[in-house]
Amino acid sequence: MRDRFKKWIESSSAWESIIVAIPYVWLFIFFLIPFFIVLKISFAEYILASPPFSTLFSLADSGAMYMTVIFDNFIYLWEDSLYRDTYVNSLKISVSSTILCLLVGYPIAYGIARATPTAKKIMLLMVILPFWTSFLLRVYAWIGLLSDQGTINSFLMWIGIIDSPIKMLYTEFAVYVGIVYTYVPFMILPLFASIEKLDMTLHEAAADLGSRPFTIFRTITIPLTMPGIIAGSLLVFIPATGEFVIPDLLGGGNVLMIGKVLYSEFNSNQDWPIASAVAIVLLFLLVIPMMIYQKYQAKESSGA
Amino acid sequence: MLCLGFAFLYIPIFLLIFYSFNYSKVVPVWGGFSLRWYVELFQSEEIWKSVVLSLEIAIMNATFATLLGALAGITMARIKQFRGRTLFSGMISAPLVMPEVITGLSLLLLFITMAEVIGWPTRGITTITIAHITFSLAYVAVIVQSRLVGVDESLEEAAQDLGAKPFRVLIDITIPLLAPALVAGWLLAFTLSLDDLVIASFVSGPGANTLPMLIYSRVKLGLKPDVNALATIIILIVSIGVCIAGWILSRQERQRVLDMQMAESGKFDQNEDEPVRA
Amino acid sequence: MNTQTDNNNLFADQPWLDPERSPFVKIQSLTKTFGSFTAVSSVDLDIYEGELFSLLGGSGCGKSTLLRMLAGFETPTSGNIFIDDTDMSNVPPYQRPVNMMFQSYALFPHMSVEQNIAYGLKQDGIAKNDIAERVENMLTIVQLTQFAKRKPHQLSGGQRQRVALARALVKKPKVLLLDEPLGALDKRLREQTQFELMNIQEQLGITFIVVTHDQEEAMTLSTRIAVMDQGRFSQIGTPTDIYEYPETRFVANFIGSANMFEGRVVENGADYVTVKTVGSDLSFYIDHSAAVRENTAVWVALRPEKILVSATPPEEQSQYNSVEGVVDDIGYLGNFSIYKIRLANDKIIEITHPNQSRPKHGSHLAQWEEKVYLRWADHSPVLLTK
């Protein structure tokens, strides 16, 4: 018995099992099971109790288990225009800010990829550096810039372009600025990776065959950097859709986004079943982009 | 265009630092140079408490996430076939893009259910740490995996061929080769934990206020000069850290390239079999 | 006793001919499949102690898979491997009496040359002093003593190759497996290293099994070669056998170059065969017999250097082994030239001819579009039935 155990522990398959099992079990308990709990509660009923939801499974007198599935929460979400508008608005904001990030990020990524090796290293470091500093503080910085007495308004009034402050903070504009500002590094890095891989002789070949610069960009550069464009866009779009801090701090009460609604449903209203249903619908909206991203990720990291 | 881009990235940060030295209580109005907010910051017991809590969580998180993430990364890069591999790779990459509100909500519901069923864990430092490990380990796994994909698999085979048992191969070859990725992963997990507001807010319990939670509750009420002072200190520490790391890495890389060039040209070998060319 | 010694002497260089010797490495109907792809298809092979045996083939022919099964990195789908009469089926790589030199060398980048070489000995729990001594010896053999403290990235390609060799040899394996040992070196260094490798093998007497795609390398190094194609052996033999007596069209074409003629057997005599080619008057007289019936479709291979060329018609006309054509193209390669001769039926024959004197002094056999007469000896053509 002991010998057999010793032999097993020395074999490769034993080590493989141990290596796989530890993170697997962890993720199973703390990542997968929680989703099923959310799913379960999203089908439950709101009751004034602790925890504030009805149990889905109940033991009848006979000992058989009954399951009460209530779609009320989802029907409520569908019928209440507040939730519907919030979902639509979230998607509108995340799609538009993804496009904005792409427009801002592409030239920067291109510039970095074509710089000298030393400049490239320094600029990459400068793109990554804000990422290592607090996200919350970077959002906070924009309150100081955008508020009525903020730096931008003060400056514009000082040079005399405007007489009274423009309202920027607590508007959708502020949310766009915040999202683009915090997420643009996520766009730049994958774009940079795919632009850097691009063989410059392809551009020369296209020019040699008579293409004008814009045609080259449209027919050569864009198609070949598509993997970077897709990865970057997903990395911005997915988290931006569920964003909470930016609409909360910069959008105030005027901008409805689903992350904020979920947070307040849960914390202020204590309505867990609705919060769970909101989360499930959000997940449902994001599941396809997330799967695309996962495919991309798997392909990238396997070196294919 | 590049300058504009970097200006966009950095001007808000510089302004943040600038106003931390402002005497005025109203942030955007300049009231003269002063360090009063730094003094206030250092006197605030509340801030120190949350800094200590955040650091404790960040260190524990980074250590465990690196351990688990390394195993997950090795699994993804080296173990080609096992049951449930697709599910596993899904669970590794999903936390990277999962909206924080969903992760936070689902983990809180798990912790509440667990507390009901087995009486553990109590909400607070433990739950925040577990939640952080869960999403940080995915980042570490990606770093480890991409490093390991770049490592020639025959190195591990060579060690086995020379008589090393699988565990020895892991200790002697795989882990030393992964060292840079493990350091990077640890630092990233540490930062992610220090940075997280949403998930911590969901899973935290009474009394356990991390630094981002504290900052948020203050900022929610408007601009706070002492937050600027705190931001300045954080930015300073991070910048110095990143610059040192970048400098060490680039120096190592330069030395390596130099060594390789010299080895190939045979220049620093006196007794090489190839003649030294002038 | 006496005959035993005689026998040993007789077969010292060719142990595979000795009926009393048993093979050192024995491979029995070994198969490896990956999904629906068969990498190695039921091969049998005997390799004798002290041989330098090459597995030669193009990429994807299964040679590397075979080597990896010997090392234990791949588990055979079916079949057996015996090394020194021990079945290797359940022996993991770290317990096999073989060591491998990897194509990429696989030197541990975080260890010095010394530590790399000592690594395998440490795994066997050998005393520190012994390790130091054996490493020292090995460094001397591969002439790297002064580089002991270097890290792999501080070495040139040739030095890295020698470290990899030393690391595998220091464990005194029963068999050394070499995967494209010279593949990463440039041409000049490769030629020099080939001979070093042979010297070391002779010095230590360890059985070498080499995987290579380079036929020149296989020809110079090996005692015997197995030519592999699509997971099977096309032919196993000495370099001379393989080149001069190819058994299949694949081997004839893969090793060196050969002119191929499709034809039918006209006569099958006791010690000769005659073949008439398809679509021309050309007929071959081949001075060895073969187990073929008359009128069977066969192929005849003729090496370019075995054809004699002259600008004047031969004195005695023969119906066999001669043909006339026109020079279609000449390629001057310095030490020799390649002539492409177009026959009456537009078939092109390639001929090589050494340039014994400089062009000014009339070394060119013939000029473009000139008529030439070709002939060859009866022992030059090879009859191929496969």
Side-chain angles (χ1 to χ4, degrees), chain A residues 126 135 140 181 248 294 301, chain B residues 9-10 93 149 195 216 228:
Chain A
M126 281 174 71
F135 165 74
Y140 166 72
Y181 180 67
D248 192 53
Q294 201 224 311
S301 49
Chain B
L9 282 178
Y10 280 90
S93 60
V149 165
D195 211 16
Y216 175 74
N228 286 50

Side-chain angles (χ1 to χ4, degrees), chain C residues 361-377:
Chain C
H361 304 280
S363 112
H364 270 86
L365 285 166
Q367 293 303 321
W368 274 270
E369 297 304 327
E370 209 173 299
K371 189 168 185 179
V372 287
Y373 301 88
L374 314 178
R375 61 197 165 81
W376 50 89

Side-chain angles (χ1 to χ4, degrees), chain C residues 127-324:
Chain C
K128 271 217 171 101
N129 291 341
D130 293 348
I131 294 184
E133 199 189 312
R134 281 171 71 175
V135 170
E136 189 62 43
N137 275 339
M138 210 62 228
L139 282 169
T140 317
I141 292 178
V142 296
Q143 301 160 17
L144 283 173
T145 314
Q146 69 269 42
F147 299 106
K149 304 283 181 216
R150 290 272 177 86
K151 290 278 179 67
H153 73 268
Q154 295 171 316
L155 301 175
S156 68
Q159 292 165 341
R160 278 202 287 266
Q161 193 259 2
R162 288 184 341 241
V163 178
L165 185 64
R167 187 178 71 177
L169 281 173
V170 77
K171 290 198 75 178
K172 298 179 185 156
K174 288 183 175 167
V175 180
L176 183 73
L177 309 172
L178 302 98
D179 190 0
E180 304 277 2
L182 310 173
L185 303 180
D186 60 42
K187 196 167 186 288
R188 201 175 57 87
L189 203 52
R190 194 155 58 208
E191 280 163 12
Q192 180 195 336
T193 315
Q194 265 174 20
F195 291 101
E196 275 177 23
L197 208 58
M198 285 164 76
N199 285 339
I200 289 173
Q201 196 261 345
E202 257 168 56
Q203 204 178 325
L204 301 174
I206 292 172
T207 310
F208 277 26
I209 300 177
V210 179
V211 153
T212 178
H213 69 279
D214 183 335
Q215 44 142 321
E216 245 176 75
E217 188 178 309
M219 301 279 280
T220 12
L221 285 176
S222 324
T223 51
R224 285 192 301 156
I225 299 172
V227 182
M228 266 189 104
D229 178 37
Q230 293 175 4
R232 293 167 196 277
F233 294 132
S234 298
Q235 189 174 353
I236 301 170
T238 62
T240 326
D241 284 342
I242 301 257
Y243 187 80
E244 301 292 352
Y245 305 102
E247 286 168 3
T248 69
R249 280 166 61 204
F250 174 79
V251 175
N253 272 320
F254 188 76
I255 313 286
S257 55
N259 295 298
M260 287 290 185
F261 300 89
E262 200 176 353
R264 281 184 184 280
V265 177
V266 178
E267 253 184 294
N268 190 0
D271 56 355
Y272 71 94
V273 180
T274 60
V275 175
K276 158 106 176 49
T277 58
V278 174
S280 82
D281 295 337
L282 173 60
S283 287
F284 285 94
Y285 180 95
I286 303 160
D287 78 343
H288 61 81
S289 61
V292 281
R293 288 190 187 176
E294 279 162 20
N295 213 25
T296 341
V298 291
W299 290 81
V300 177
L302 190 57
R303 297 278 184 204
E305 74 279 7
K306 298 206 167 20
I307 302 173
L308 304 169
V309 189
S310 71
T312 49
E315 281 163 28
E316 40 178 309
Q317 290 282 338
S318 165
Q319 67 174 113
Y320 295 119
N321 293 353
S322 65
V323 68
E324 48 182 73

Side-chain angles (χ1 to χ4, degrees), chain A residues 36-55:
Chain A
F36 287 103
I37 297 177
V38 175
L39 191 66
K40 184 196 134 178
I41 294 175
S42 73
F43 286 117
E45 234 177 327
Y46 174 62
I47 47 172
L48 272 174
S50 174
F53 58 90
S54 66
T55 43

Side-chain angles (χ1 to χ4, degrees), chain B residues 18-225:
Chain B
F18 178 72
Y19 282 118
S20 75
F21 299 107
N22 184 5
Y23 183 81
S24 164
K25 200 173 172 68
V26 188
V27 168
V29 181
W30 185 249
F33 179 84
S34 144
L35 292 175
R36 73 182 265 208
W37 304 115
Y38 288 88
V39 176
E40 248 176 53
L41 190 70
F42 281 100
Q43 283 166 348
S44 161
E45 206 178 301
E46 203 187 6
I47 293 216
W48 279 114
K49 237 179 84 185
S50 66
V51 166
V52 170
L53 178 74
S54 278
L55 286 177
E56 267 177 57
I57 294 173
I59 290 170
M60 277 197 294
N61 164 60
T63 309
F64 280 100
T66 305
L67 211 78
L68 288 165
L71 295 179
I74 293 172
T75 302
M76 291 304 295
R78 285 290 187 259
I79 304 176
K80 307 270 149 44
Q81 277 178 328
F82 58 90
R83 230 183 302 159
R85 196 180 194 280
T86 320
L87 176 66
F88 188 79
S89 75
M91 290 196 299
I92 288 293
S93 60
L96 302 178
V97 284
M98 187 62 72
E100 291 167 315
V101 280
I102 298 182
T103 314
L105 174 73
S106 60
L107 274 166
L108 173 60
L109 294 176
L110 172 82
F111 291 140
I112 289 170
T113 315
M114 280 172 75
E116 264 177 46
V117 178
I118 57 170
W120 184 87
T122 341
R123 275 193 277 156
I125 184 164
T126 320
T127 49
I128 300 176
T129 310
I130 292 176
H132 283 184
I133 292 170
T134 306
F135 77 86
S136 315
L137 90 82
Y139 285 85
V140 179
V142 170
I143 294 177
V144 167
Q145 183 190 0
S146 56
R147 162 89 189 173
L148 210 50
V149 165
V151 169
D152 185 1
E153 209 165 331
S154 52
L155 287 173
E156 284 143 303
E157 287 177 349
Q160 273 209 42
D161 184 65
L162 293 167
K165 293 181 176 128
F167 182 63
R168 275 247 73 85
V169 178
L170 192 71
I171 299 292
D172 289 350
I173 311 297
T174 316
I175 289 179
L177 291 177
L178 278 180
L182 295 179
V183 172
W186 195 94
L187 288 173
L188 183 63
F190 181 81
T191 317
L192 286 171
S193 170
L194 274 188
D195 211 16
D196 167 65
L197 164 70
V198 178
I199 295 172
S201 310
F202 267 102
V203 300
S204 176
N209 268 331
T210 63
L211 188 62
M213 285 163 74
L214 186 77
I215 295 173
Y216 175 74
S217 65
R218 294 191 170 203
V219 166
K220 195 66 188 141
L221 303 171
L223 293 164
K224 289 282 177 296

